[in-house]
Amino acid sequence: KYKMATTVTTATLNVDITETITLNGTTYDKTTTQAITGIGQYHSRVYQLKANTTHTLVEFASDPTSREFDSDDFKYMRITNLDDTNAINITFAEESNVGCAFQLDAGESYVISALVVDSNTSGSAITSLGHSISDVFVRTGASETDVEIVVATA
C-alpha cells in the first residue's frame, strides 16, 4: 500500500468515560481513561439524516477508495445520536454481509476502538474473532435525526 509523505505529527487521543451516581447518600464515581496513541487523522462530522431511511454512515476497507477509511489504520470511532427525542438503529456489517444492530436512544453514544468482530447463530459465546467491520449503517425513525460520527486513524 502506498503512503504519502506527511508533516503531521501523530498525537494521543484521550477518551474519558465518567460515571457519577449517589444512592442512599453514597456517591459512586468512576472515570476510565483510554489513551489511544498514534493518531494522525481525526474526522468529525454531524449528519442531518432524513426520516425513515437507512444511511451509510461510514465504510472501511484494507485498500480504501477516497470515500472509505483504511481499516488497517483504524483506532477509534464514536457515534452519537444528537436528537433529544428519537432513537436510531446502528448496524455494523462485516465483509460477508453479516450484521449486528443496536438501538441508540436520544443523546446516547456508542464507542469502539477495534473493527474485529464475528457472529454465530448458535446462541453460544464466540471464542475467536475473524472478521472486520466494513460498513456502519444508521436507520432513522419517523423524524429527521442529527448524528455525529468521529473516526480517528493512524
Side-chain angles (χ1 to χ4, degrees):
K1 195 178 343 183
Y2 176 76
K3 295 278 186 174
M4 240 160 90
T6 182
T7 59
V8 174
T9 302
T10 62
T12 298
L13 172 64
N14 291 306
V15 178
D16 297 324
I17 297 175
T18 301
E19 302 161 351
T20 303
I21 188 169
T22 301
L23 293 174
N24 292 330
T26 303
T27 300
Y28 302 90
D29 293 338
K30 178 67 178 172
T31 298
T32 304
T33 300
Q34 180 183 14
I36 305 169
T37 60
I39 302 296
Q41 297 183 47
Y42 183 88
H43 306 272
S44 176
R45 184 167 177 191
V46 174
Y47 293 91
Q48 185 177 47
L49 303 178
K50 293 181 181 179
N52 296 314
T53 308
T54 300
H55 307 269
T56 302
L57 197 59
V58 65
E59 297 174 287
F60 299 96
S62 58
D63 190 17
T65 63
S66 61
R67 55 177 277 181
E68 297 169 323
F69 288 96
D70 191 332
S71 57
D72 298 329
D73 290 342
F74 178 81
K75 299 277 192 168
Y76 172 85
M77 179 171 59
R78 175 179 52 82
I79 301 167
T80 300
N81 179 355
L82 297 175
D83 199 87
D84 60 359
T85 305
N86 301 295
I88 57 174
N89 293 334
I90 300 172
T91 300
F92 295 106
E94 43 121 317
E95 58 269 353
S96 63
N97 293 321
V98 174
C100 178
F102 300 91
Q103 179 172 303
L104 200 59
D105 289 331
E108 291 184 341
S109 294
Y110 195 86
V111 174
I112 63 170
S113 57
L115 294 176
V116 181
V117 296
D118 219 319
S119 60
N120 69 29
T121 57
S122 69
S124 61
I126 296 171
T127 57
S128 65
L129 303 175
H131 299 280
S132 291
I133 295 170
S134 58
D135 300 284
V136 179
F137 303 105
V138 173
R139 177 72 186 181
T140 55
S143 299
E144 282 189 356
T145 306
D146 291 339
V147 175
E148 181 182 25
I149 178 100
V150 171
V151 177
T153 59

